[in-house]
Amino acid sequence: MHYQLHFRSKASSFRFSCNRYICISYTSFYRNPDDISSPEALPAAPSSCQSHLVPSNNVKFSRNGQLSYKTRHSEHLEIDDVVLSNKKITSFIRSGDLDSAFRVFESVKVKSVITWNSILAGFSRKYGFLEEARQLFDKIPEPNVVSYNTMLACYWRNADIQAAKSFFDRMPVKDVATWNTMISGFSQTGLMGEAEEMFRVMPVRNEVTWNAMVAGYVESGELESALELFKEAPVKGVIARTAIVTGYMRSGNVEMAEKMFQEMEEKSMVTWNTMISGYIENGRAEDGMKLVKKMMGSGVKVNDSTLSSLLLGCSNLSALKLGKQVHQHVVKSPLYLDMTVGTSLISMYSKCGVLEDAWKLFCEMPRKDVVTWNAMISGYAQHGESKKALSLFDEMRRKGTKPDWITFVGVLSACNHAGLVNLGIQYFEQMQNNYGVKPKPDHYTCMVDLLGRAGKLNEAVDLIRKMQFKPHIALFGSLLGACRIHRNLEVAEFAAKNLLSLEPTNAAGYVQLANVYAAKNQWEGVSKVRKSMKENNVIKTPGYSWMEVGRVVHEFRSGDRLHPDLESIRMKLKDLEKKMKLAGYVPDLDSSLHDVAEEQKEQLLLWHSEKLAIAFGLMKLPPGMPIRIFKNLRVCGDCHQATKVISAIENREIIVRDTTRFHHFKNGTCSCGDYW
């Protein structure tokens, strides 16, 4: 639904057009005192009207450009109407109902500068309305500093940096909010040199100024500069301290972040969420979850950001039970219909291996944005449900949601996991030609993996050489993995050489190359790789698996000697080994890199971490309950074959998530079709 809005005078007339859906879904630009404009840009509804009431019709201009007004008597009669109208406009804009604000504004016969500033703020907050805001600003009879600041913020909101600079230079009057708007604009666009230059010359600074600079340095990755300025700041408030916590977390210095957090007498919701997400991003999901409980215990209510971080922690730890508890909390809260939280739940269920619950949630969501579609498409792709992923992608386009670059990562992954080479190439080309999405490293990694695993190693190498940017580690890692499958030593050595030149201590590169040598029984090559690892102080990442039983996450390492139930686990494995061999299982000795006797190789393979986890699951979980296992490395060929056999002889569904995808083992088969 569209509506037209007209402003007319004898001098000129113009019109605005606004899409109703867009207008009612915008978010406030002035969320807190640190936003890049003066809070005055959305003035509080006044108790009395300011001067300069301007009639919206039949405005007369004298030769010197000054407005001539109606009689004093009629002006006084209209003051009450102006005050009421301003209150309505302000209230509608603050609640996000911009179209209603437009209707009130259009109906106002006499407009004060507050009336104009209020509706201008509504335009300024919404990206894409720069031209409309500019036309509206030009119609304000006597703009004040708030008018100018609001228009200045609009230029920054629409990323028109040059126009913002030019407008700033032309402004007849400036206050501290004007300078803060420029500093925040430069900071948020990474132009810290220009922000610092303006910071040094501005006549008066306030706390907002210091906050903008400190946060800007943090966002630009200049933590040392942020810390130096933070020390200089006369007032060190919650916003600046939270920015420093963010900087510490991003640099991996969790201890200093904790110290700053503990020293803060006042903590905002953003502060708590920064610590929680920082723990998650630094691989300390358990600490993040503990902090959520502490936060709730202190009386602070969680919001969508808190729950999204918590659900990400559940995903990383594969803590399904805790994820379900979070879901139950969401159902009972006002956040039940929140799109961000709903999308996080979909992602959590997908990553915890419960795809059916993810799909159920997806279907129940009343509104879906591109992130929601991406979560479900990626979930299907990761579980090897390629047809469903691609079908959902088609549905997404039919319903008018434009795919972004992340969508195509999911689509190409779906093609990759199913070996759909030609279709993958077709989508890769469509992405660029039909949707204008420039390929990113993740897209090239998918394509190299797709071509490489299909045996098209030369085509994969050609694609890498044609890239317009420098190849990254993941590309050569994917190529190296494909070489292991097809035992192509020449391309493997090329991939390993390039990978290790980028990161000499990358253990996976050495291991993958050693795998290729071992597959071709070239043990001298394996020895050279191990020698090189030793010389470069490279430590191989140990393989481990984990699973949740009750509320406890159990971890297993290959050749484990620490688990309290190890003796009974090994007895269970020995029993399983006998049954497996009777069912036709033959150990895949190529999966062992050790140049030892076959019997010893079999023993080493039997004690791989996922086999230990499966045995434990069979012992501890009730019959019929799926066993869900998560692994830090790719599933080896022997464990893949063994798990298929175990799923048949034990009549148990076994779900394994490795570093690349999910494997659903059932009745002796795997969802990957032995293509992984």
Side-chain angles (χ1 to χ4, degrees):
M1 177 180 176
H2 285 70
Y3 61 88
Q4 301 294 328
L5 179 61
H6 305 266
F7 299 97
R8 297 191 180 276
S9 70
K10 285 188 176 181
S12 63
S13 67
F14 60 101
R15 75 175 50 174
F16 294 96
S17 175
C18 179
N19 180 280
R20 180 180 179 87
Y21 173 76
I22 292 175
C23 288
I24 64 173
S25 64
Y26 83 97
T27 55
S28 173
F29 189 59
Y30 305 102
R31 291 185 298 271
N32 59 55
D34 281 337
D35 280 325
I36 63 169
S37 62
S38 167
E40 292 177 299
L42 188 55
S47 57
S48 62
C49 187
Q50 292 184 358
S51 60
H52 302 301
L53 298 176
V54 183
S56 60
N57 295 304
N58 301 320
V59 178
K60 296 182 179 180
F61 293 85
S62 63
R63 287 184 180 181
N64 63 7
Q66 296 298 313
L67 290 166
S68 62
Y69 295 96
K70 297 179 181 180
T71 66
R72 284 282 178 187
H73 178 69
S74 63
E75 179 179 312
H76 283 298
L77 290 176
E78 290 172 333
I79 286 177
D80 290 341
D81 288 341
V82 173
V83 173
L84 180 61
S85 297
N86 288 347
K87 285 182 177 180
K88 286 181 178 178
I89 292 170
T90 302
S91 177
F92 280 132
I93 291 175
R94 283 181 170 160
S95 66
D97 192 355
L98 190 55
D99 57 342
S100 294
F102 287 160
R103 286 194 292 270
V104 175
F105 179 80
E106 190 177 26
S107 68
V108 175
K109 293 179 180 180
V110 176
K111 298 176 173 68
S112 71
V113 69
I114 292 178
T115 316
W116 290 92
N117 288 347
S118 296
I119 202 68
L120 179 63
F123 279 112
S124 298
R125 291 159 143 182
K126 183 64 185 174
Y127 175 82
F129 285 86
L130 176 59
E131 185 56 37
E132 290 88 342
R134 187 156 38 204
Q135 291 181 41
L136 180 60
F137 176 81
D138 290 342
K139 292 295 175 181
I140 302 177
E142 294 186 16
N144 61 11
V145 68
V146 176
S147 313
Y148 280 98
N149 287 345
T150 305
M151 191 64 225
L152 181 62
C154 186
Y155 283 116
W156 283 111
R157 167 68 76 186
N158 287 272
D160 196 337
I161 299 173
Q162 287 305 122
K165 291 165 71 174
S166 176
F167 187 80
F168 174 81
D169 292 337
R170 297 195 313 271
M171 286 176 64
V173 59
K174 301 179 179 75
D175 62 7
V176 68
T178 313
W179 292 86
N180 286 343
T181 299
M182 291 299 291
I183 287 174
S184 295
F186 285 130
S187 299
Q188 291 176 13
T189 50
L191 300 172
M192 289 308 299
E194 296 191 53
E196 184 177 352
E197 185 179 333
M198 189 154 285
F199 175 78
R200 297 302 175 192
V201 301
M202 70 184 292
V204 179
R205 302 169 188 153
N206 61 13
E207 186 178 350
V208 176
T209 318
W210 293 90
N211 290 342
M213 287 297 296
V214 171
Y217 280 127
V218 169
E219 288 301 314
S220 298
E222 301 177 48
L223 180 57
E224 290 303 317
S225 298
L227 289 169
E228 288 177 16
L229 201 65
F230 179 74
K231 290 177 184 176
E232 290 181 35
V235 178
K236 298 173 176 62
V238 64
I239 294 171
R241 290 179 181 275
T242 301
I244 296 298
V245 170
T246 301
Y248 280 133
M249 281 297 192
R250 287 182 181 175
S251 65
N253 195 338
V254 179
E255 288 70 25
M256 288 302 295
E258 289 175 326
K259 185 173 183 294
M260 175 67 76
F261 180 79
Q262 290 162 4
E263 290 173 353
M264 291 175 68
E265 294 181 4
E266 179 190 357
K267 299 178 179 71
S268 68
M269 174 66 77
V270 176
T271 313
W272 286 95
N273 287 341
T274 297
M275 278 299 295
I276 292 163
S277 61
Y279 276 133
I280 303 296
E281 290 162 8
N282 281 280
R284 292 174 55 173
E286 290 182 14
D287 288 327
M289 292 176 183
K290 288 177 184 176
L291 192 60
V292 171
K293 293 178 182 177
K294 184 177 179 181
M295 172 185 176
M296 295 173 70
S298 64
V300 181
K301 291 184 179 180
V302 300
N303 63 3
D304 59 342
S305 179
T306 318
L307 292 173
S308 294
S309 295
L310 185 57
L311 289 167
L312 178 59
C314 293
S315 300
N316 293 345
L317 286 175
S318 308
L320 179 60
K321 288 201 172 182
L322 181 57
K324 286 183 174 180
Q325 288 176 2
V326 175
H327 188 182
Q328 289 171 357
H329 173 81
V330 169
V331 170
K332 298 173 184 177
S333 76
L335 293 168
Y336 180 60
L337 297 176
D338 184 272
M339 194 157 47
T340 301
V341 174
T343 301
S344 297
L345 281 167
I346 289 171
S347 183
M348 183 276 294
Y349 277 118
S350 294
K351 290 178 180 178
C352 286
V354 193
L355 197 56
E356 55 274 17
D357 285 355
W359 173 245
K360 183 180 178 183
L361 263 172
F362 179 83
C363 293
E364 290 175 353
M365 286 184 66
R367 294 183 300 117
K368 303 175 182 71
D369 61 6
V370 66
V371 182
T372 311
W373 287 94
N374 289 348
M376 199 65 237
I377 290 170
S378 297
Y380 273 136
Q382 195 177 24
H383 282 264
E385 297 279 4
S386 299
K387 288 183 179 179
K388 290 181 179 179
L390 298 178
S391 175
L392 196 60
F393 174 60
D394 290 338
E395 183 183 344
M396 170 188 177
R397 292 186 292 179
R398 283 196 306 271
K399 291 191 173 180
T401 301
K402 185 180 179 182
D404 61 10
W405 71 272
I406 297 175
T407 314
F408 282 101
V409 172
V411 168
L412 294 176
S413 295
C415 294
N416 185 13
H417 291 318
L420 303 172
V421 180
N422 293 332
L423 191 58
I425 293 172
Q426 181 182 322
Y427 281 128
F428 186 67
E429 292 173 349
Q430 279 184 14
M431 175 184 81
Q432 301 169 73
N433 300 330
N434 297 0
Y435 296 95
V437 176
K438 293 182 180 180
K440 293 181 179 287
D442 287 347
H443 300 123
Y444 278 107
T445 301
C446 286
M447 290 304 296
V448 167
D449 204 29
L450 174 65
L451 294 168
R453 293 205 293 155
K456 298 180 180 292
L457 294 169
N458 292 331
E459 288 91 333
V461 172
D462 287 342
L463 183 63
I464 292 174
R465 287 173 172 159
K466 290 176 182 176
M467 283 171 50
Q468 295 181 352
F469 46 83
K470 187 178 179 181
H472 56 290
I473 293 170
L475 265 178
F476 293 116
S478 295
L479 185 60
L480 201 48
C483 292
R484 178 194 55 77
I485 296 170
H486 298 287
R487 303 187 180 189
N488 188 314
L489 188 55
E490 181 183 354
V491 178
E493 289 176 336
F494 161 80
K497 179 182 177 182
N498 282 278
L499 190 156
L500 297 174
S501 69
L502 294 172
E503 190 178 337
T505 59
N506 186 294
Y510 291 98
V511 173
Q512 290 275 41
L513 181 59
N515 276 330
V516 180
Y517 281 124
K520 296 181 74 69
N521 290 318
Q522 293 193 17
W523 298 108
E524 185 178 342
V526 174
S527 297
K528 286 182 180 179
V529 171
R530 285 181 174 158
K531 183 180 178 182
S532 181
M533 289 178 72
K534 191 172 183 180
E535 290 171 351
N536 289 285
N537 296 316
V538 178
I539 300 174
K540 179 180 177 293
T541 304
Y544 64 90
S545 301
W546 67 97
M547 66 185 300
E548 188 178 17
V549 177
R551 294 190 177 184
V552 180
V553 176
H554 294 263
E555 186 177 299
F556 306 88
R557 295 185 177 270
S558 294
D560 204 327
R561 296 177 182 177
L562 298 175
H563 197 280
D565 293 310
L566 186 60
E567 187 176 344
S568 55
I569 290 171
R570 287 186 174 178
M571 287 177 61
K572 181 67 175 177
L573 272 177
K574 282 291 183 183
D575 182 53
L576 278 174
E577 184 183 32
K578 293 175 184 176
K579 293 180 180 178
M580 288 158 58
K581 287 184 175 179
L582 286 174
Y585 161 73
V586 177
D588 179 8
L589 301 182
D590 287 345
S591 296
S592 175
L593 284 179
H594 300 275
D595 186 16
V596 294
E598 289 190 2
E599 185 177 344
Q600 193 173 349
K601 279 189 178 184
E602 286 189 25
Q603 189 65 61
L604 292 169
L605 289 172
L606 186 64
W607 290 349
H608 273 192
S609 64
E610 52 265 61
K611 292 192 183 82
L612 296 172
I614 291 170
F616 185 75
L618 290 170
M619 291 164 48
K620 298 295 182 179
L621 296 176
M625 178 180 285
I627 298 173
R628 304 178 194 277
I629 296 169
F630 305 87
K631 184 173 171 61
N632 71 323
L633 301 174
R634 180 185 175 277
V635 173
C636 75
D638 181 71
C639 285
H640 192 270
Q641 180 61 28
T643 307
K644 286 198 298 182
V645 176
I646 294 171
S647 72
I649 62 178
E650 293 291 324
N651 192 27
R652 186 73 72 105
E653 182 179 5
I654 303 171
I655 301 166
V656 179
R657 187 185 82 185
D658 66 8
T659 51
T660 59
R661 63 173 297 157
F662 274 90
H663 299 262
H664 291 254
F665 298 93
K666 196 172 183 179
N667 299 324
T669 63
C670 179
S671 59
C672 74
D674 298 338
Y675 189 87
W676 85 102

